Amino acid sequence: MKRKIIAFLMLVVLIGQTCAAEEGLYSKTITVAQDGSGDYTTINEALKKVRGDFEDPVRIFVKNGVYKEKILINNTLKNVTLEGESRKGTVISNGDYAQLNNMGTSGSYTMRIDGNDITLKNMTIENTAGPVGQAVALHTTGDKIHVIDCDILGNQDTLYATGHNSRDLFDNCYIEGTVDFIFGAATALFRNCHLHAKRDGYLTAASTPKDNLVGYVFHKCKVTADADAKNVYLGRPWRPYASTFFIDCDLPEGINAKGWHNWGNAENEKTARYGEYKCKGAGSDEKSRVEWRKAINAQDAAELTDPERIFFRNSVWVP
């Protein structure tokens, strides 16, 4: 009995030390709760409080609830972590779409991140507009964006990861959609993520700039598709130098045998940078893939999945 008590006390101390260490990462924690038990009842109110006020990292902790808000983390913010109480229980929801009041794709977001050094953690971000055309759930343009343990839900154009010099890292996220549901110009690494195609369409539509060596990289990701989705392409080039690679990924039966689409322009085949390496699953057979994809080897794959290499600009970013 004495040993059990000692073990229990040691566990309590360890948990306390871990929480203290976590809390020590931030200069301030602000709590958002719809029931009034926090500092603010909406996320937008909390963001106004930290806008330009803090140089050191700030944490906004969001308690469970469905927050029907349209959120802009603007370019005056940096070093902010937005963390939900639980992945399924903390939901940020909006239903705008491109044709609504002519707001366009860029204006249809539920959340947009223009600030730098922003972390999203443990929450759901959804666009509830339905199959009405372009309707963005998460739109990122800032640099050094880290998204961890999040669900990003929508239909067409769910995740707009863009910005000429933007670097994004997605860890253990679930992303679903229909057409071009991951698109844009950013350099983005997706690790251990789950992509789900809700119908026939295109997983990605990168618009990688010519001078960016890397666009989208999916590493050890799982791709699934609805049962009636039989014609899903890995990607098509929104811009001529689109760059997308799937490495050590699990691909389903619904993947089109050709794998990649040229967006109806044969000239894109000369410039697009597409490839796969050591993927598995019913949709991974490369024997019928388009001839213009890039052949990559083990060294290429190692470099493409190394944050120190693909995220190098004037300095290295490794979250």
Side-chain angles (χ1 to χ4, degrees), residues 171-240:
D171 279 321
N172 193 36
C173 292
Y174 173 85
I175 307 162
E176 70 172 25
T178 56
V179 177
D180 304 334
F181 65 91
I182 301 174
F183 71 111
T187 295
L189 175 60
F190 299 80
R191 301 189 298 199
N192 299 297
C193 291
H194 181 179
L195 281 57
H196 182 73
K198 297 166 72 173
R199 64 171 175 82
D200 290 344
Y202 308 86
L203 300 179
T204 67
S207 57
T208 319
K210 179 180 180 179
D211 56 345
N212 280 13
L213 296 178
V214 182
Y216 295 158
V217 179
F218 298 88
H219 186 214
K220 296 185 177 179
C221 292
K222 180 178 182 180
V223 180
T224 57
D226 278 5
D228 57 352
K230 305 295 186 183
N231 193 34
V232 178
Y233 286 88
L234 298 174
R236 61 176 179 170
W238 184 20
R239 295 292 182 267

Side-chain angles (χ1 to χ4, degrees), residues 72-78 114-116:
L72 172 62
I73 301 177
N74 72 20
N75 58 13
T76 67
L77 270 72
K78 62 180 180 180
D114 293 340
N116 299 330

